[in-house]
Amino acid sequence: MPQVGVGVSVMTLTNNGKSTKSSMPVQKAAPEFGDERASKTAHIDKTRSAGNTYDFPEGCGTSGEALADWFVQKFEDYSLEQQRAGKRKPSSLTAVGVACVITPDEEAVAQWDKPLRDKFMRDAREVYERWFGAPLDAWATHVDEGAMEERGLTRDDELGDEGLHGHGTGCMPDLLPDDELLVEGFGEEGAAAFKKRYRGKDDGCLYRTGSILNGGRLKLLHNIFPIEMAKRGWREPVDENDLEATGWTVRPHLSWGEKKVIEEETGE
């Protein structure tokens, strides 16, 4: 059965500051997935950028710069509310949001028609939102970035060598994932261990990313992604009446250690 490998990543968005391995200023990140397409990659073909789609907050249009301003303004409004309530002003280092990226294998995408591509991005967004515990504030689907030709690959379908990946941004509430999701990702014992270790304040605050975007939460995302995508049809048909199945499965996430073992054993 055909499988598709998927890059699933998350990064904290800050207000200005420097980029790190796990964070980036929203002023730098947002223009990369807005219509400015301010990326250093050599594989953006802006003649295809008209095929990109955007679901940004009202007033932002498709501009990443406007989206960055929107996130900063939302945080400043929150900060003012805190001060008016007699509470401590949040630190300027407080994260203003979380960015996520979803990237399916180009080799797989090359074999999908447009409806299947649209379904993948729609389903991936749903899974991210299930993990976030809240709707994403912004979502962009890009088809103008890819390197099929540079990698010696070809596409035979009518969409040529278009790429496919999505960017999402939002604020993650400080709430423990629901029990069902934790058990799905970790099993009964693992779910209990997660709740014991990562309690947080569990009050729904949208500006406490630094403490809730932890290793356990990231592992949960990697564990549930193939499971949740299978629920949405990325699997073999159950029977002849199963019209939701895509015929593709999403490969489970492999840790660096697991990849190293496979490489040593198989040379792949």
Side-chain angles (χ1 to χ4, degrees), residues 13-268:
L13 294 177
T14 60
N15 182 16
N16 289 308
K18 296 182 179 180
S19 297
T20 69
K21 290 183 178 180
S22 60
S23 68
M24 180 181 292
V26 68
Q27 292 86 353
K28 180 179 179 181
E32 290 188 13
F33 54 83
D35 61 17
E36 297 89 347
R37 300 299 283 120
S39 175
K40 294 182 180 179
T41 179
H43 302 310
I44 291 180
D45 181 351
K46 291 192 175 182
T47 64
R48 297 197 188 103
S49 295
N52 296 342
T53 58
Y54 300 91
D55 180 13
F56 283 5
E58 184 177 356
C60 294
T62 60
S63 168
E65 293 179 357
L67 180 63
D69 292 341
W70 185 88
F71 271 96
V72 172
Q73 186 61 54
K74 292 276 284 187
F75 173 70
E76 290 179 350
D77 292 345
Y78 167 77
S79 178
L80 185 59
E81 288 176 7
Q82 293 292 96
Q83 294 176 73
R84 285 174 174 171
K87 299 179 181 179
R88 180 182 298 177
K89 179 182 178 180
S91 167
S92 60
L93 300 178
T94 302
V96 298
V98 176
C100 56
V101 183
I102 185 76
T103 310
D105 284 342
E106 287 187 316
E107 293 89 338
V109 173
Q111 300 176 54
W112 299 347
D113 59 15
K114 188 176 186 305
L116 196 58
R117 296 180 192 207
D118 291 344
K119 174 176 171 54
F120 181 89
M121 299 310 293
R122 183 173 63 250
D123 292 341
R125 178 176 181 173
E126 287 183 2
V127 176
Y128 261 122
E129 291 183 334
R130 175 129 168 73
W131 175 74
F132 254 75
L136 290 168
D137 293 303
W139 182 260
T141 298
H142 292 160
V143 298
D144 61 353
E145 186 173 348
M148 297 293 290
E149 183 177 352
E150 290 83 351
R151 298 178 189 177
L153 305 171
T154 60
R155 296 180 190 272
D156 296 324
D157 66 336
E158 72 279 5
L159 295 180
D161 63 346
E162 287 183 350
L164 181 68
H165 69 277
H167 289 272
T169 52
C171 292
M172 181 179 288
D174 186 358
L175 293 171
L176 279 171
D178 62 57
D179 289 345
E180 180 183 352
L181 192 67
L182 286 174
V183 171
E184 182 178 294
F186 296 133
E188 294 282 354
E189 292 186 6
F194 181 97
K195 292 172 70 175
K196 184 177 180 180
R197 182 173 184 181
Y198 301 110
R199 298 183 66 88
K201 292 192 176 180
D202 204 29
D203 61 1
C205 177
L206 298 178
Y207 298 100
R208 208 171 286 133
T209 302
S211 60
I212 62 173
L213 194 56
N214 49 58
R217 195 72 173 251
L218 295 174
K219 185 174 182 180
L220 176 64
L221 172 62
H222 289 148
N223 286 359
I224 68 165
F225 192 83
I227 298 172
E228 288 287 326
M229 290 295 277
K231 290 181 181 179
R232 290 161 174 76
W234 294 89
R235 51 173 168 72
E236 290 185 37
V238 175
D239 54 41
E240 65 275 7
N241 297 316
D242 184 3
L243 303 180
E244 297 296 322
T246 63
W248 287 84
T249 57
V250 177
R251 289 198 295 267
H253 175 77
L254 295 177
S255 68
W256 183 88
E258 291 170 326
K259 291 178 181 177
K260 190 68 175 176
V261 170
I262 292 174
E263 182 179 2
E264 292 174 350
E265 292 181 348
T266 68
E268 298 181 359

